[in-house]
Amino acid sequence: MEHVEIGEGTIRLGQLLKLAGLVEHGGEAKSLIQDGEVLVNDEPETRRGRQLSPGDEVSVGGETVRVTSA
């Protein structure tokens, strides 16, 4: 599992997917999220703007990343 560091606070799901390199662009993130292919803490998430905090885990396409604080 990879760790993705964010600054203080939270990050939106779509932004995290791009930052972690799980998608190449926002359109791809939007499509995967709308299709229910993205899991946040093992639950399907369909909101691209979902706020993620350190400790949250995001899975897509067999890859999982954990949000950590810088």
Side-chain angles (χ1 to χ4, degrees), residues 3-6 16 18-19 22 24-25 33-34 37 43 45 49 51 53 57 59 62 67 70:
H3 294 264
V4 177
E5 288 187 8
I6 62 170
L16 178 80
K18 291 187 288 185
L19 180 64
L22 297 173
E24 291 185 22
H25 50 79
I33 293 167
Q34 285 180 339
E37 296 184 38
E43 297 289 329
E45 181 56 68
Q51 294 291 317
S53 302
E57 292 182 6
S59 302
V67 180

Side-chain angles (χ1 to χ4, degrees), residues 19-62:
L19 180 64
L22 297 173
V23 298
E24 291 185 22
H25 50 79
E28 184 180 1
K30 181 178 178 180
S31 178
L32 289 171
I33 293 167
Q34 285 180 339
D35 291 344
E37 296 184 38
V38 177
L39 303 178
V40 175
N41 300 324
D42 294 321
E43 297 289 329
E45 181 56 68
T46 57
R47 298 172 293 159
R48 188 169 78 179
R50 160 84 185 260
Q51 294 291 317
L52 303 170
S53 302
D56 285 333
E57 292 182 6
V58 176
S59 302
V60 62

